[in-house]
Amino acid sequence: LGLGLTLGLAYTSRKTDAKAVEYFESGDDGIYTATAEAFRISGTTLLGLKPEAILALDTIDAFKIVVPNTVTEIGENSFAGRMKLVSVELPDSVQTIGASAFARCSRLHSVNDLSNVTTFGTSAFIESGITEITLNATTIGADAFKNCYDLYRAEIGSDVSLLGTTSEDGPFAGCVRLLEVNDQRTAAPTGYWQYAVDTASATTEITKDSDNFVYRTIDDTRYLVDYIGTTARLYLPEVASADQEY
């Protein structure tokens, strides 16, 4: 298609063993949900999955986590490299996401809400599959969202601290699809953020439909620019004409 679209494998059910049943609940969509028994928790910090739950991942294709509302921090490296993690639901209680917590989770496209998180550690989501974010954090570590190639929309709250001055040193360096930025800070954006704001000009609107197709509207003309999903077979929408470039 010419866009470098990220097309993951369709989720399929496998025959699960007793360990998988204990640590993961199956869903109708083929995505398993980690149970409370699967987590390693120390105090109010989620440290990741138990070793037994990690072994059980061999029997499933994709899983999501629903973080307990007693958790206030996601620990360092807690889910780093978990290629089968596709969705995270955070409660309002989570205020800190540690360094590399979700690093290289390339299939992690869905994170319900980051607006209550006040601190992101270094490389917290580096090279993850996250697609859109709302930030109100006062501390954002270096490379926090670096090389998140599927990230296309960012809402930046008024209390967010400096985000870096160039495309090389900011926490969003390498986010080449970041087309829409709503920066509510009073200070004028500089460096990479000025570039991002310029790219997402007032005449540009980014939308995503229910099938995960991303459109960019410029001067009342709608363009199909991306697909952010996981289906193995892709059907282009009827609104796309044959002369458009994909």
Side-chain angles (χ1 to χ4, degrees):
L1 295 178
L3 274 178
L5 305 182
T6 302
L7 302 181
L9 295 176
Y11 305 128
T12 57
S13 298
R14 298 183 185 180
K15 183 178 180 181
T16 55
D17 60 16
K19 289 183 178 179
V21 172
E22 179 180 359
Y23 296 113
F24 298 94
E25 296 178 351
S26 62
D28 294 336
D29 53 3
I31 301 176
Y32 288 74
T33 301
T35 67
E37 292 299 318
F39 296 131
R40 289 191 301 125
I41 298 177
S42 176
T44 59
T45 301
L46 176 58
L47 300 176
L49 298 176
K50 293 178 179 177
E52 298 86 353
I54 294 174
L55 290 175
L57 286 176
D58 288 340
T59 64
I60 64 177
D61 290 312
F63 77 101
K64 64 181 178 180
I65 61 172
V66 180
V67 178
N69 58 16
T70 56
V71 170
T72 62
E73 179 177 355
I74 310 297
E76 295 183 4
N77 299 296
S78 51
F79 295 93
R82 296 288 167 220
M83 304 294 288
K84 296 182 178 182
L85 178 61
V86 298
S87 176
V88 173
E89 293 185 20
L90 296 174
D92 293 344
S93 58
V94 173
Q95 297 182 344
T96 300
I97 295 181
S100 301
F102 296 101
R104 300 178 303 284
C105 294
S106 58
R107 294 168 68 189
L108 176 58
H109 293 306
S110 175
V111 181
N112 67 318
D113 189 8
L114 294 174
S115 62
N116 293 306
V117 178
T118 59
T119 300
F120 291 90
T122 301
S123 303
F125 283 88
I126 189 171
E127 298 178 5
S128 74
I130 195 168
T131 59
E132 49 188 314
I133 56 174
T134 298
L135 299 180
N136 293 307
T138 54
T139 302
I140 301 179
D143 299 336
F145 297 90
K146 184 177 181 179
N147 293 343
C148 289
Y149 299 122
D150 290 330
L151 180 63
Y152 72 96
R153 175 183 288 144
E155 298 277 341
I156 309 300
S158 58
D159 294 330
V160 173
S161 58
L162 184 66
L163 293 169
T165 57
T166 71
S167 59
E168 289 78 22
D169 67 7
F172 292 85
C175 296
V176 294
R177 295 178 179 172
L178 183 57
L179 297 176
E180 183 174 359
V181 179
N182 180 12
D183 195 338
Q184 300 178 20
R185 296 176 299 160
T186 55
T190 59
Y192 185 56
W193 278 100
Q194 185 60 60
Y195 163 78
V197 171
D198 289 344
T199 302
S201 64
T203 59
T204 300
E205 180 185 1
I206 304 296
T207 57
K208 182 177 68 171
D209 67 15
S210 59
D211 294 319
N212 290 313
F213 286 103
V214 179
Y215 301 89
R216 184 177 184 182
T217 303
I218 303 176
D219 296 331
D220 297 325
T221 301
R222 191 178 186 217
Y223 300 92
L224 174 62
V225 296
D226 210 343
Y227 171 77
I228 301 175
T230 54
T231 185
R233 180 174 296 177
L234 182 63
Y235 296 94
L236 295 179
E238 293 182 1
V239 296
S241 61
D243 58 350
Q244 285 182 302
E245 181 179 351
Y246 299 108

